Amino acid sequence: MKKFPDNFWWGAATSGPQSEGRFNKQHANVFDYWYEIEPEAFYNHVGPDTASNFYNSYKEDIRLMKEIGLNSVRTSIQWTRLIDEFETASLNEDGVRFYNDVIDEFILQGITPMIALHHFDLPVELYNKYGGWESKHVTDLFAKFAGRCFELFGDRVKHWFTFNEPMVIVDGQYLYQFHYPKIVNGKKAVQVAYNINLASAKAIKVFRMMGLGEKGAKIGIILNLTPSYPSSTSEEDIKAGKIADLWRNQMFLDTAVHGAFPSELVKLLKKDKVIWESTPEEEKIIKDNTIDILGVNFYHPSRVKAPDISPDSLQDWMPDRYYDDYDMPGRRMNVDKGWEIFPKALYDIALNIRDNYQNIEWFVAENGMGVSREERFLNDEGVIEDDYRINFIKEHLEWLHKGIEEGSNCRGYHLWTPIDCWSWSNAYRNRYGFISNNIHTQVKTIKKSGYWFKKVAEQNALPDDRNGGV
Ligand code: BGP
């Protein structure tokens, strides 16, 4: 048996915009709006309107989560649901009622609720008015919204996260066009990365001023870490790997944990004349408001090589002028999603946090395998036999366990996601859940992996296969 630390968090993660549905929401976020104007950008034209109906069925859904043994679950509060007017952060009554009910229900079922404050769901109004995360004013509005959440729910929620995967906002909205408004502008991307780091620090400042830490609560950020492995040991490829790591991982990780941007990154952005606008006061806010806890989303590694063309070629500035993605021959793939499967990276992440990030308290906040057409695997009892998911989780847990044994301070493992949910422009193409969801009837059924995970959680251990497994 591979035993995990006492009180390990065995859980799963979802988000407000991907699970609730748009019911009774007064405002549109950027995804609600994008779907309104371009439904064809979404797989099978399925938008966020219903999602997995959590707004209406949260009691039943949480009961199912309990049934598969989850002891902790992360979701997010939608800014567009809780707030009526963004400048003053006035409250929406139904939003307050809903999140109170959800949090109470989690606690009633013995599941620790963990709450993120932003999961790609910027109110579209703030984009139209101010340019969204391009604007420093929006960082203040976010801190106000965060303050409201702490006031309302801080008596019961003890694990808070400012942002989920801020790097995806930078990549999706400002570089690689997979999130609305699909801008390609390296200089803006750099400013947005800075502003989100600032917004996160401002929210943490409010949390500290309100004394939530003294009442036993913790605050952090959730980052998608993709260790960058160079394609060879040549000097050029190693250099490419280092720069990819600076941009993809350290830009948020160093700032969140150490309170400062990595100096090599700052040097490079200055040399390229794309450095962000900042003030000493803002830098001090970032310095003084580092995180208590880190959530790590890990799906796939990043493999890079030296770029095919020289970074000095005349071209608009993009971070990837310094590296090219590299497809390693013979790699194992989740073909449906197009992501490499490389569980050892979780061990590398664990040791990196131990050695370079103060061995800060952390947990796997998302890991998972999105597979399409899972009805292929239905058995006679109507249960999806997702052995591929069980193996995927098992392999990741094995490497994680090794990292913990070697001293990394990891407190838990959350799968993406408890119940199949809506996945942005991929909508319901790939399914990730322990529990399936028929999106036409909203009937939810536990998959084989759900029953398997329950046993792992109960035993707080990964059974050794040689002894029969579970
Ligand atoms: C993460 C996001 C989640 C979820 C997951 C699955 O990056 O935090 O919101 O969507 O990825 O990825 P996808 O939805 O692209 O299949």
Side-chain angles (χ1 to χ4, degrees):
M1 286 283 232
K2 290 193 166 69
K3 267 269 172 209
F4 281 80
D6 288 347
N7 306 316
F8 202 69
W9 304 329
W10 296 104
T14 185
S15 76
Q18 292 175 273
S19 62
E20 290 168 13
R22 208 175 151 175
F23 310 101
N24 273 342
K25 227 159 51 112
Q26 299 305 309
H27 298 279
N29 64 40
V30 279
F31 278 91
D32 297 326
Y33 178 72
W34 185 16
Y35 181 65
E36 279 172 23
I37 58 165
E38 202 186 346
E40 62 281 7
F42 295 78
Y43 182 73
N44 278 347
H45 295 200
V46 174
D49 307 32
T50 306
S52 53
N53 196 38
F54 187 69
Y55 178 83
N56 298 308
S57 60
Y58 68 91
K59 279 198 177 163
E60 176 61 9
D61 291 2
I62 294 173
R63 199 194 55 70
L64 282 168
M65 295 178 205
K66 172 82 193 159
E67 204 176 317
I68 57 166
L70 307 186
N71 61 21
S72 48
V73 168
R74 179 199 15 142
T75 186
S76 69
I77 291 178
Q78 294 199 68
W79 198 349
T80 47
R81 183 183 292 291
L82 188 77
I83 298 297
D84 256 343
E85 201 276 313
F86 299 115
E87 301 297 325
T88 57
S90 65
L91 295 170
N92 178 278
E93 231 176 84
D94 185 65
V96 174
R97 177 210 52 82
F98 173 68
Y99 289 117
N100 266 323
D101 288 354
V102 166
I103 289 164
D104 288 345
E105 191 63 28
F106 273 125
I107 293 171
L108 187 73
Q109 295 294 344
I111 297 175
T112 302
M114 302 190 175
I115 298 289
L117 298 172
H118 194 84
H119 201 120
F120 312 158
D121 56 337
L122 178 77
V124 72
E125 215 172 298
L126 298 184
Y127 178 72
N128 293 337
K129 230 170 158 180
Y130 302 113
W133 296 116
E134 295 164 41
S135 146
K136 301 263 173 91
H137 180 59
V138 171
T139 67
D140 289 326
L141 297 184
F142 178 71
K144 270 191 200 169
F145 157 61
R148 286 282 189 250
C149 295
F150 303 147
E151 258 163 43
L152 288 163
F153 314 116
D155 57 333
R156 286 153 290 158
V157 175
K158 301 298 172 195
H159 303 83
W160 292 94
F161 299 94
T162 55
F163 283 81
N164 174 76
E165 298 191 352
M167 199 59 215
V168 169
I169 303 175
V170 177
D171 280 348
Q173 292 192 9
Y174 290 93
L175 295 173
Y176 306 115
Q177 298 185 285
F178 56 90
H179 285 186
Y180 178 84
K182 298 187 276 178
I183 292 166
V184 183
N185 186 324
K187 171 110 177 85
K188 277 191 179 177
V190 169
Q191 188 66 51
V192 164
Y194 173 83
N195 288 355
I196 296 180
N197 273 298
L198 178 63
S200 176
K202 283 182 178 173
I204 295 176
K205 189 175 172 193
V206 173
F207 177 92
R208 302 253 152 87
M209 274 166 31
M210 290 174 65
L212 268 77
E214 285 82 71
K215 293 180 193 143
K218 292 188 175 171
I219 189 157
I221 194 165
I222 292 171
L223 302 179
N224 50 316
L225 298 184
T226 48
S228 299
Y229 300 102
S231 61
S232 81
T233 51
S234 80
E235 211 180 294
E236 295 75 19
D237 290 331
I238 289 175
K239 187 172 167 211
K242 282 204 169 121
I243 298 180
D245 205 41
L246 280 173
W247 175 261
R248 289 179 168 165
N249 301 311
Q250 289 171 249
M251 182 159 64
F252 281 98
L253 184 55
D254 283 30
T255 317
V257 178
H258 300 313
F261 290 93
S263 54
E264 300 99 301
L265 178 70
V266 172
K267 209 162 121 198
L268 187 109
L269 298 176
K270 278 191 178 155
K271 171 181 85 59
D272 289 350
K273 299 194 173 51
V274 290
I275 191 74
W276 45 69
E277 281 172 24
S278 62
T279 66
E281 294 74 38
E282 290 167 358
E283 280 164 18
K284 183 158 173 13
I285 294 177
I286 291 174
K287 180 92 213 146
D288 292 345
N289 293 286
T290 54
I291 57 170
D292 305 320
I293 180 169
L294 174 71
V296 174
N297 292 356
F298 173 70
Y299 290 90
H300 59 88
S302 109
R303 295 193 190 273
V304 293
K305 60 185 173 74
D308 275 347
I309 63 167
S310 159
D312 297 330
S313 314
L314 181 64
Q315 53 185 331
D316 288 337
W317 191 89
M318 291 287 271
D320 53 17
R321 60 164 49 188
Y322 294 106
Y323 49 86
D324 281 346
D325 282 316
Y326 163 74
D327 292 333
M328 187 180 70
R331 65 199 176 282
R332 242 172 90 201
M333 287 292 286
N334 169 8
V335 176
D336 287 343
K337 178 64 190 168
W339 280 343
E340 182 184 338
I341 298 177
F342 187 62
K344 176 180 175 285
L346 206 44
Y347 169 74
D348 294 338
I349 290 172
L351 265 48
N352 184 31
I353 295 172
R354 184 195 68 183
D355 298 340
N356 301 312
Y357 294 93
Q358 307 165 356
N359 204 14
I360 193 169
E361 184 179 356
W362 71 284
F363 74 115
V364 176
E366 284 181 32
N367 176 232
M369 189 173 179
V371 172
S372 64
R373 298 176 291 117
E374 282 199 306
E375 59 284 359
R376 284 178 281 175
F377 307 107
L378 268 177
N379 69 15
D380 294 343
E381 280 86 54
V383 172
I384 291 169
E385 298 199 336
D386 52 348
D387 294 273
Y388 42 87
R389 182 166 292 108
I390 293 174
N391 291 332
F392 180 97
I393 300 171
K394 206 190 275 176
E395 283 186 72
H396 283 82
L397 282 174
E398 274 163 2
W399 281 107
L400 182 64
H401 185 263
K402 184 166 158 61
I404 295 172
E405 276 199 317
E406 292 176 26
S408 192
N409 189 16
C410 178
R411 297 288 316 277
Y413 175 93
H414 281 190
L415 186 83
W416 183 267
T417 187
I419 299 172
D420 286 348
C421 68
W422 183 78
S423 251
W424 317 113
S425 54
N426 273 327
Y428 275 93
R429 185 162 70 95
N430 299 320
R431 306 299 183 95
Y432 288 83
F434 282 132
I435 298 163
S436 71
N437 181 21
N438 178 325
I439 61 168
H440 306 291
T441 60
Q442 292 292 335
V443 170
K444 291 157 184 166
T445 314
I446 298 173
K447 301 179 194 175
K448 185 173 173 185
S449 59
Y451 294 109
W452 173 80
F453 198 72
K454 184 184 169 76
K455 289 194 191 147
V456 174
E458 276 169 5
Q459 297 170 348
N460 199 36
L462 200 59
D464 208 322
D465 275 341
R466 280 163 303 179
N467 299 330
V470 278

